[in-house]
Amino acid sequence: MELNTLTLTQAIEGLKTRTFSHAELIAACTDRIKSVEPNIKAFITVNQKVTNGIPIAVKDNFNTNDIETTAASDILRGYVPPYDATVVRKLKEHGMMILGKTNMDAFAHGSSTEASDFGATSNPWDLERLPGGSSGGSAAAVIADECIAAIGSETAGSIRQPASWCGVVGLKPTYGRVSRYGLIAMASSTDSPGPITKTVADARILYEMLAGFDPYDATTGHQPVTSEIINIKHLTIGVPKQYFRSEAQNGVNQRVLDAAKVLEKLGARLVDLSLLDPEYAVSVYTILQRAEVSSNLARFDGIRFGHRRDQFNEENKRRIMLGNYTLSAGYYDAYYAKAQKVRTLFINDFHKAFDAVDLIIGPTSPSTALKKGASKDHVMFGELQDILVEPSTIAGLPGINLPCGFIERLPVGMQLIGPQWSEDKILSVAQMYEEQTLWHTQRPKL
Amino acid sequence: MAHKKLTRFEIKHVAKLSNLLLSDPELELLGKELSETIEFIDHLSEINTDDTPPTSQVGGKTNEFREDHVLPGLSQKEALKNAKRTHNGYFVSKIQWS
């Protein structure tokens, strides 16, 4: 077995029993990168200086000390941070090493990785297709076995949707569970770092490594990070009709309903659920995200770091402009304030739902991976791709993507959403599902 | 809600607020695209929020305090390392007129 194909769990075990060395594990990944990267282009930077640790790919919007960090934007080309993000520091403290920095939509503005200033990443299942985004490089690197595991960040779908399109596990933790310190900000009220991995067990290892209060990010919670395994037999899982949309690609809804049946066989009780139409969440998110982007990207003045503001790409400019428009005098109440009120309705809606159910199941994305070019000339491309993950995002809820089948050799993903701080429950159910299926063991031919 | 088609004057104003220098074709294109997006998000006005308070945060936290100790930060050299222009240990910026 090639060492680069190992899961994180297997890599930790193999190193412990001295079956192989760190150097061999790293060499297997760098050899794989050399062989497949010309086609995949998952990495912006490959770290040449590492000799020790378990190779983890990190999205290029996490500051990494002494390793170029660009957020896939021309404006940060050449920027070498003088410090590590908390996520990166914790990885290193736990014996992980930064194998490289992965491609993304510039400043995470997108759901295709096509809006990268460094060129698009290809989906390893079909090189003519998109990996999803914005953490598309991380998801592609994992399924292509270029790394043992990866880190992504999600503002609305940016972990779960590329995980779905690439057929890997992606956990978006509760907002405030994992520190944002050193993560190049997109929308500060929803940004959530999280793992993208080959298995649920791996996602749990990385999640437990990264979660917890950080004095450098005041929005992180003090809730204890536990490692509880919760029995599915006592759980009720809601199936919301609004998430199984008629316009979804043929077959996607059925794959997810089949997965729900697996959970039922394991002992969970399935109940029908009615939630607010996710289409309204798209608009809420669009307004809030642009507003926060316009404020967060104001710091790029080319004085302290980075280049001039004319280096922002079209998508970045579009988002900054809309944000400033909705926050400007005369429009604030109609757009920003209105969006925050509708956000409250979504939060209340989920509260009500979680009085009746433990978790919610639905497709992660209405389709399998789309062809390259699909995002071009569609101003709302990203938001409409992320329609099924945006409601939980604006409510700050945790969710996971799991591979649950294939349509014409392209992976389909399902998501499990839970109440805030319910990662243990989500991971437990995800783990039990994974043990019953072989979807996560499938690999593209490269 | 507000009118849907942005005027050229509005687009120029927003570009100024955004500290973006845009070419005429860019102004034209962004104006069109922003109008499309605004038309899309306009459906929020269908939802009654008269008695709904706005969300200010989702984490449920109140203030987070720490002891007022000086902690180590970046050195001057580190802080300046990515600056295009420096002078005597300072960043150099264009003259700012208010």
Side-chain angles (χ1 to χ4, degrees):
Chain A
M1 191 186 223
E2 300 291 335
L3 295 179
N4 57 296
T5 65
L6 296 181
T7 65
L8 179 57
T9 310
Q10 292 167 329
I12 291 169
E13 184 58 25
L15 289 166
K16 204 159 77 182
T17 55
R18 302 189 181 219
T19 312
F20 47 81
S21 68
H22 282 119
E24 287 169 316
L25 188 62
I26 294 166
C29 289
T30 48
D31 285 353
R32 178 69 170 171
I33 288 173
K34 269 184 210 133
S35 112
V36 303
E37 265 302 274
N39 288 329
I40 309 290
K41 298 186 176 69
F43 287 88
I44 291 176
T45 305
V46 177
N47 186 3
Q48 309 287 356
K49 293 181 280 193
V50 286
T51 54
N52 212 7
I54 297 178
I56 305 292
V58 175
K59 189 177 180 182
D60 206 25
N61 57 350
F62 288 91
N63 276 287
T64 41
N65 188 27
D66 266 343
I67 304 173
E68 186 176 346
T69 298
T70 66
S73 170
D74 280 335
I75 208 168
L76 280 174
R77 227 178 249 268
Y79 169 66
V80 181
Y83 74 107
D84 279 332
T86 295
V87 161
V88 173
R89 176 180 61 77
K90 286 187 168 186
L91 287 172
K92 289 180 177 174
E93 283 171 3
H94 286 85
M96 307 293 121
M97 68 82 141
I98 312 307
L99 177 66
K101 305 295 293 296
T102 54
N103 199 14
M104 52 187 282
D105 296 290
F107 286 107
H109 296 179
S111 305
S112 64
T113 312
E114 210 165 25
S116 164
D117 294 346
F118 290 72
T121 296
S122 302
N123 189 315
W125 290 99
D126 176 348
L127 300 179
E128 298 303 312
R129 290 180 186 268
L130 299 166
S134 63
S135 310
S138 289
V142 170
I143 197 64
D145 283 318
E146 295 178 76
C147 57
I148 301 303
I151 299 296
S153 68
E154 173 159 333
T155 308
S158 281
I159 288 175
R160 286 174 284 177
Q161 185 255 11
S164 170
W165 284 14
C166 290
V168 291
V169 175
L171 174 72
K172 180 253 181 232
T174 306
Y175 174 78
R177 192 55 125 164
V178 177
S179 170
R180 294 178 292 111
Y181 177 71
L183 169 68
I184 294 171
M186 171 147 92
S188 305
S189 82
T190 57
D191 285 345
S192 307
I196 297 179
T197 55
K198 299 173 188 178
T199 65
V200 175
D202 288 5
R204 192 187 266 271
I205 293 171
L206 284 176
Y207 157 73
E208 288 177 8
M209 211 179 268
L210 303 178
F213 174 72
D214 177 16
Y216 291 114
D217 175 1
T219 58
T220 48
H222 290 273
Q223 285 78 357
V225 181
T226 51
S227 312
E228 213 182 328
I229 306 293
I230 291 160
N231 192 336
I232 194 170
K233 287 208 168 69
H234 307 294
L235 301 183
T236 304
I237 296 174
V239 186
K241 59 179 180 208
Q242 291 82 356
Y243 283 54
F244 294 82
R245 303 178 72 79
S246 57
E247 71 269 23
Q249 183 188 334
N250 198 12
V252 167
N253 290 346
Q254 194 52 51
R255 299 295 185 286
V256 179
L257 290 170
D258 292 346
K261 289 283 174 206
V262 173
L263 299 179
E264 192 175 36
K265 271 194 185 148
L266 286 167
R269 197 165 66 91
L270 299 181
V271 295
D272 290 334
L273 198 62
S274 186
L275 292 171
L276 280 178
D277 188 341
E279 233 174 76
Y280 292 115
V282 173
S283 297
V284 170
Y285 175 74
T286 299
I287 294 168
L288 300 180
Q289 190 265 358
R290 271 55 167 183
E292 295 184 38
V293 158
S294 68
S295 160
N296 275 326
L297 295 194
R299 76 184 56 150
F300 292 92
D301 53 13
I303 294 169
R304 292 156 303 157
F305 48 80
H307 305 291
R308 289 181 353 188
R309 289 177 73 77
D310 57 8
Q311 298 293 303
F312 282 127
N313 69 21
E314 284 304 313
E315 183 64 27
N316 303 147
K317 287 178 187 171
R318 199 152 57 206
R319 295 190 183 211
I320 294 169
M321 292 278 287
L322 184 65
N324 278 315
Y325 176 75
T326 58
L327 290 173
S328 62
Y331 299 110
Y332 179 89
D333 284 334
Y335 294 112
Y336 187 79
K338 179 77 182 180
Q340 290 287 27
K341 287 179 182 175
V342 180
R343 185 184 201 178
T344 304
L345 294 177
F346 272 94
I347 293 170
N348 295 345
D349 192 44
F350 277 118
H351 272 306
K352 208 174 91 196
F354 287 124
D355 281 341
V357 303
D358 292 286
L359 297 175
I360 294 169
I361 190 172
T364 303
S365 166
S367 72
T368 54
L370 296 177
K371 291 245 184 193
K372 284 183 179 166
S375 71
K376 306 275 185 219
D377 303 324
H378 288 279
V379 289
M380 293 296 288
F381 173 84
E383 307 328 333
L384 291 168
Q385 286 312 311
D386 290 332
I387 184 166
L388 302 176
V389 283
E390 292 191 341
S392 51
T393 285
I394 58 175
L397 306 179
I400 198 168
N401 173 74
L402 293 173
C404 69
F406 283 81
I407 298 174
E408 292 169 2
R409 292 290 297 158
L410 293 172
V412 178
M414 70 169 193
Q415 60 173 332
L416 293 167
I417 305 164
Q420 285 183 304
W421 321 109
S422 70
E423 284 87 351
D424 275 341
K425 210 180 271 180
I426 290 173
L427 288 163
S428 298
V429 172
Q431 174 85 48
M432 285 173 230
Y433 174 78
E434 194 182 75
E435 284 166 6
Q436 299 296 316
T437 57
L438 290 171
W439 309 120
H440 64 287
T441 63
Q442 306 293 306
R443 287 292 177 276
K445 287 190 181 65
L446 286 168
Chain B
M1 264 195 198
H3 57 255
K4 289 170 190 169
K5 183 97 176 95
L6 269 74
T7 63
R8 194 175 172 79
F9 176 79
E10 280 178 313
I11 291 289
K12 279 187 143 175
H13 174 65
V14 177
K16 195 177 166 212
L17 288 175
S18 304
N19 191 15
L20 290 171
L21 283 173
L22 301 176
S23 64
D24 279 348
E26 274 185 313
L27 284 170
E28 187 76 27
L29 182 67
L30 279 163
K32 186 178 147 283
E33 290 173 342
L34 289 188
S35 299
E36 276 174 41
T37 309
I38 287 162
E39 199 177 320
F40 182 92
I41 60 181
D42 223 23
H43 69 156
L44 285 187
S45 59
E46 296 163 8
I47 302 177
N48 185 337
T49 52
D50 289 349
D51 300 319
T52 310
T55 294
S56 56
Q57 56 134 326
V58 296
K61 285 190 78 168
T62 50
N63 289 330
E64 184 70 51
F65 292 109
R66 67 165 175 83
E67 292 300 315
D68 190 15
H69 293 317
V70 177
L71 298 169
L74 296 179
S75 67
Q76 191 179 51
K77 194 175 155 202
E78 287 170 328
L80 292 171
K81 124 175 156 170
N82 283 287
K84 279 218 170 53
R85 288 179 64 203
T86 61
H87 179 70
N88 280 349
Y90 288 95
F91 297 109
V92 176
S93 75
K94 285 188 292 188
I95 296 168
Q96 302 292 317
W97 301 100
S98 57

